[in-house]
Amino acid sequence: MPTKVIMPKLGESVVEGTVMNWLKKAGDSVEEFESLLEVESAKVNTEIPSPAAGTLLKILVQAGETVDAGKILAWIGESGEQVPAESSQEPADMEMKHREQQEQESAPAQTAPQTESKPAPMDLENQIAAGRDRDLGFISPVVAKIASENQVDLTRVNGTGQGGRISKKDILSYIKNRGEVEAEQEAPAWETPGEGDLFRPTEMQFPERFATRNETSESTSGEAKKPLQMKSSTAGQLIPHTKIRRRIADHMQMSKRTSPHVTTVMEADMQNIFFHRAKNKQSFENQGVHLTFTAYFLVATARALQKYPIVNSSWTEEGILLKTAINIGMAASLGEEGLIVPVIKNADSFSLIGIARQVNSLGDRARNHSLAPDDVADGTFTITNHGTAGSLFATPIINQPQCGILGVGLIQKRAVVSADAIAIRPMVYLSFSFDHRILDGSAADGFLAEVVKNLEKWN
C-alpha cells in the first residue's frame, strides 16, 4: 500500500508551511529518510525526509503552495502502484496526531527548566540521555549512546533531520570531521572576536557584487547555487527581491504603520562586564562555552523584563496582553541574504552560562542555515545589533506584535566623568524603541534604566 508524505508540524506554534521545491520528481526512486522536498516556514527552510523507500508516485502540492500541517503532499510506493483517492485529508491529520501522541508518551516527563540546560563536555557520559532535551529537541537512544561513547557535546552538532533533529548520520559525520568542525565554530553571527566590539561587522555591499550572489531559495543540500540574473535598465541594474527580503520589507512596513514608534537612548558603563568576562572567560571555555558580550545583554534585559512585565506584552483591541514567558529574540544579519531572529525561550530561567550556551548554539545554526522554525517563533522581545559597522545608536523598528526592541551600539572606550574625575571607560549606547500605545515615556525610561543598572552593577 502506498505511503503518504504529509506536511509535518514543524514546531509547536508552526501550523503551516510553503513547499519551496521538490528534490525528487514523480517517477524517481527514493530511499527511506532521503531528502524529498524543501519547506519554508517562519523564514526557515527545512528538508523533509522520505517516510519510506520506493518510487515517488505522485506529487499533490506543487512548489510555491502553502498548506496546513497534516496535508498530504505526495504518495510513495511500488512503481506502477495505484494512488488512493485524495478526497479527504482526515487520515493524514489523524495519523499526525497519533504520531505526536506516541512521541509524547515515549518521551520522559519534563520538569521545570534548569538554569544550565546542557552539560559540560567532560560530564557528557553521565548526563546525555535519550528523549526530549529542552534545547536540542528529541534525542534518539542511538544518538545519545554515540555521544556518550565519543564525548560529543551535542550543542556543537548541526542537526539535519526533521525540525533540526540530530540524526545518527549527523553525529557520525561530526565525529569524523571533529577537528575541522570545531576549528570553524567561531563566535555567533552577531559577535566579533575582537575585545570591545559587540557584534560581527558585515561587509559593505556594492552593486557589482550582486552579479554573482546566490539566491537564498536554492537548496542548501550542497548542490551548486545559481547566480542571480540581472535585468538591464537605462537607469542601472535591477536586483530582483528574494523571498526573505520581501518578507522583511512587508514586516517592517507593517510595523511602522501599526505602532506609533518612540525611541529613548541611554548609555551604559561596561567596565564591570569587562572585568567579569576577563575573569570567567577561560572557565567557560573549559566547559565548552564561548562567553560573549551578547550573553550579558540578554541576561540584563531578561531581568529588566521581569521587573517591568508591561514591556513584555502586545497590543490587542481588547486590552494589553501580558506574556507569561520571556522569549528574547536576537536579530542576526545573514549578510546579503537578509535578517533572521533566533529566539531564546524562557530567557529569564537561565544563568549566564546557560544563556551563553544558547547564544553559541543558535549562532552556529544561524550561520549554517540549520535553524528550525521553532527557533525563530514566539519571541516576546527583541535585541538588535546595529553596532555591526560602528553605529553608536539607532532607532530600530519594532518586531511585531511585540511592545519594543532594544538596540545595542558599538562598545567603545570613551572619556567620561566618574567620581568628579575624567576616566577612560568602555561605553555603549542603548536605544529602546517602544509602542507608545502601550508604554509612556516614564515606563520606557524606567525599563531602559533597569537594563543599564543591571549591566553597570554586574558582579
Side-chain angles (χ1 to χ4, degrees), residues 203-221:
E203 297 179 358
M204 295 294 290
Q205 310 297 338
F206 298 96
E208 60 268 26
R209 293 191 61 199
F210 285 97
T212 58
R213 63 177 289 187
N214 294 326
E215 284 284 5
T216 60
S217 60
E218 291 294 321
S219 169
T220 58
S221 61

Side-chain angles (χ1 to χ4, degrees), residues 269-277 455-458:
D269 183 343
M270 297 287 288
Q271 181 165 277
N272 283 342
I273 299 295
F274 267 61
F275 288 157
H276 187 276
R277 181 171 181 265
L455 294 170
E456 294 186 339
K457 304 296 183 183
W458 195 283

Side-chain angles (χ1 to χ4, degrees), residues 6-20 37-46 48 61 64-71 73 93 96 100 247 372-374 376-377:
I6 65 173
M7 175 66 77
K9 188 175 182 182
L10 297 171
E12 293 181 11
S13 60
V14 182
V15 296
E16 65 177 19
T18 301
V19 176
M20 298 303 296
L37 72 155
E38 193 175 29
V39 172
E40 181 191 58
S41 185
K43 293 202 297 187
V44 174
N45 284 9
T46 304
I48 306 302
V61 178
E65 292 185 47
T66 300
V67 295
D68 294 335
K71 175 83 173 181
L73 303 176
D93 292 336
M96 190 170 166
E100 291 178 355
R247 289 196 175 195
D374 256 359
V376 297

Side-chain angles (χ1 to χ4, degrees), residues 8 24 35 43 58 71 99 110 142 189-190 194 246 278 317 328 367 378 435 449 451 453-454:
K24 297 285 185 177
S35 294
K43 293 202 297 187
K58 188 172 184 179
K71 175 83 173 181
R99 286 182 187 174
Q110 287 186 300
V142 173
W190 46 83
R246 284 190 179 277
E317 293 306 316
I328 303 179
R367 186 172 58 246
D378 300 326
D435 188 337
V451 176
K453 185 189 80 174
N454 292 338

Side-chain angles (χ1 to χ4, degrees), residues 10-250:
L10 297 171
E12 293 181 11
S13 60
V14 182
V15 296
E16 65 177 19
T18 301
V19 176
M20 298 303 296
N21 61 289
W22 285 89
L23 306 178
K24 297 285 185 177
K25 61 181 184 294
D28 284 353
S29 296
V30 294
E31 297 295 328
E32 187 177 10
F33 305 127
E34 184 180 5
S35 294
L36 192 59
L37 72 155
E38 193 175 29
V39 172
E40 181 191 58
S41 185
K43 293 202 297 187
V44 174
N45 284 9
T46 304
E47 289 187 3
I48 306 302
S50 174
T55 299
L56 182 56
L57 300 175
K58 188 172 184 179
I59 294 174
L60 304 180
V61 178
Q62 301 301 317
E65 292 185 47
T66 300
V67 295
D68 294 335
K71 175 83 173 181
I72 300 177
L73 303 176
W75 290 93
I76 291 175
E78 298 294 329
S79 181
E81 193 172 6
Q82 283 290 103
V83 173
E86 307 155 13
S87 59
S88 173
Q89 294 300 321
E90 184 177 357
D93 292 336
M94 294 299 293
E95 179 180 330
M96 190 170 166
K97 290 178 181 177
H98 180 62
R99 286 182 187 174
E100 291 178 355
Q101 185 178 0
Q102 283 184 324
E103 196 173 64
Q104 290 171 1
E105 290 173 353
S106 63
Q110 287 186 300
T111 58
Q114 303 295 316
T115 55
E116 274 87 46
S117 59
K118 299 188 186 75
M122 69 283 291
D123 201 24
L124 286 173
E125 185 172 354
N126 297 323
Q127 297 193 51
I128 290 182
R132 285 196 174 277
D133 180 276
R134 175 175 170 184
D135 305 300
L136 297 173
F138 180 77
I139 302 299
S140 71
V142 173
V143 170
K145 185 173 185 294
I146 295 173
S148 295
E149 291 175 349
N150 292 274
Q151 289 292 291
V152 175
D153 182 353
L154 289 178
T155 65
R156 295 178 178 272
V157 180
N158 294 316
T160 60
Q162 185 173 325
R165 183 175 296 179
I166 298 173
S167 66
K168 179 181 176 182
K169 178 182 176 183
D170 295 329
I171 193 168
L172 291 177
S173 175
Y174 175 86
I175 293 169
K176 180 180 179 181
N177 305 293
R178 191 193 309 238
E180 296 177 11
V181 172
E182 290 179 350
E184 292 174 358
Q185 287 179 334
E186 303 170 348
W190 46 83
E191 290 284 352
T192 62
E195 299 289 331
D197 290 329
L198 175 63
F199 298 113
R200 180 180 298 280
T202 55
E203 297 179 358
M204 295 294 290
Q205 310 297 338
F206 298 96
E208 60 268 26
R209 293 191 61 199
F210 285 97
T212 58
R213 63 177 289 187
N214 294 326
E215 284 284 5
T216 60
S217 60
E218 291 294 321
S219 169
T220 58
S221 61
E223 299 177 3
K225 297 181 180 180
K226 298 178 183 178
L228 180 65
Q229 298 299 316
M230 294 306 194
K231 297 181 180 179
S232 298
S233 161
T234 55
Q237 289 183 318
L238 177 67
I239 303 169
H241 299 305
T242 60
K243 287 183 173 65
I244 191 170
R245 176 54 55 195
R246 284 190 179 277
R247 289 196 175 195
I248 292 169
D250 291 343

